[in-house]
Amino acid sequence: KNAKKLLNSRFQIKGFILFTLILLSYFLITIEKLPYEEQKKRRDFKEKITKAQQLIINQDYSNSIQLGFQSNSIYPNHWLPHLVIGVSWEALGEPQKALKSYFEVIKINPRSFFALGHIGEIYIQQKKWNLAKTFLLQAKAINPTSSITYNYLGQTELKSNNLDKAEEMFLTAIKLDNQSGDFHANLALVYFVKAD
């Protein structure tokens, strides 16, 4: 349920689409100066990634994984297919497989906000609070405007009984997105534990 909730959030999907479009635009801008074989590879890669992205939006995760592997076979050292595969495995309830894919992403692209955030989210589900916090802090450093990251950081602080820090994280999440009931509920829990 948590994975679906995260995947269905407009922010995550729009961000995923935006970064994909930027990357694919770069591929297409430079394509005409390349040999025919490389042009064909780039077009195939773009087609498969775009289709996989649409499958994720349509919650057809098994087929998006297949397209992720196919695009990975075109460019084995590119991080984007691993991200597609990781998001799909996570949505299918396979956190260990998702983690493996996300770690491949950050091995190739250490500043992938999405991979770092998803790793943190999986570790929260596994109640590995310190590991979750480590990756979420890295994600926050890259994208300090993600309300979801602050919400997850608040959860790690709450579980570590750092109530003031948890309150700060949830308040920041609410400032960034005051429409999330979860953020308000989590903040209320902090105040309950503080007997306020």
Side-chain angles (χ1 to χ4, degrees):
K1 284 181 182 177
N2 286 340
K4 274 194 175 179
K5 187 177 183 182
L6 182 64
L7 290 165
N8 288 332
S9 76
R10 287 179 295 175
F11 174 80
Q12 290 287 337
I13 290 175
K14 284 181 181 177
F16 180 70
I17 290 168
L18 174 66
F19 280 108
T20 304
L21 289 175
I22 290 169
L23 180 69
L24 295 177
S25 297
Y26 170 76
F27 264 47
L28 293 177
I29 287 167
T30 59
I31 201 168
E32 296 305 323
K33 298 177 181 175
L34 297 169
Y36 173 76
E37 198 56 43
E38 183 63 20
Q39 289 183 32
K40 184 177 182 311
K41 277 175 69 174
R42 286 195 179 192
R43 284 193 184 101
D44 288 349
F45 183 81
K46 175 195 175 289
E47 182 183 310
K48 287 181 181 359
I49 288 291
T50 303
K51 196 181 287 185
Q53 181 181 307
Q54 190 58 49
L55 290 170
I56 287 171
I57 292 167
N58 295 335
Q59 300 181 357
D60 186 354
Y61 304 117
S62 297
N63 285 321
S64 65
I65 288 171
Q66 294 309 313
L67 283 171
F69 282 121
Q70 290 172 26
S71 57
N72 184 54
S73 68
I74 297 170
Y75 285 111
N77 295 320
H78 203 288
W79 58 270
L80 195 51
H82 296 289
L83 186 60
V84 165
I85 294 166
V87 168
S88 302
W89 278 129
E90 188 176 355
L92 287 170
E94 296 281 357
Q96 291 311 119
K97 292 178 180 178
L99 279 174
K100 184 178 176 189
S101 294
Y102 293 142
F103 278 116
E104 285 297 319
V105 173
I106 60 173
K107 186 166 34 168
I108 300 164
N109 178 13
R111 292 188 55 80
S112 173
F113 159 75
F114 295 102
L116 292 166
H118 281 278
I119 291 169
E121 189 242 348
I122 289 171
Y123 283 141
I124 281 178
Q125 290 174 357
Q126 296 176 346
K127 299 181 178 12
K128 296 178 180 176
W129 310 113
N130 288 334
L131 278 172
K133 186 175 176 181
T134 299
F135 287 96
L136 290 167
L137 285 171
Q138 291 177 54
K140 180 175 83 75
I142 294 164
N143 181 4
T145 62
S146 168
S147 59
I148 293 169
T149 302
Y150 285 100
N151 181 55
Y152 283 141
L153 279 168
Q155 291 177 42
T156 66
E157 298 294 356
L158 181 60
K159 293 299 181 179
S160 304
N161 209 32
N162 298 326
L163 299 181
D164 290 339
K165 196 68 177 169
E167 179 182 357
E168 179 190 331
M169 294 296 109
F170 291 135
L171 283 170
T172 305
I174 289 168
K175 278 183 192 170
L176 292 166
D177 177 9
N178 67 4
Q179 298 301 307
S180 171
D182 285 345
F183 300 172
H184 289 279
N186 288 336
L187 181 59
L189 181 58
V190 171
Y191 292 143
F192 178 81
V193 174
K194 283 183 161 187
D196 185 350

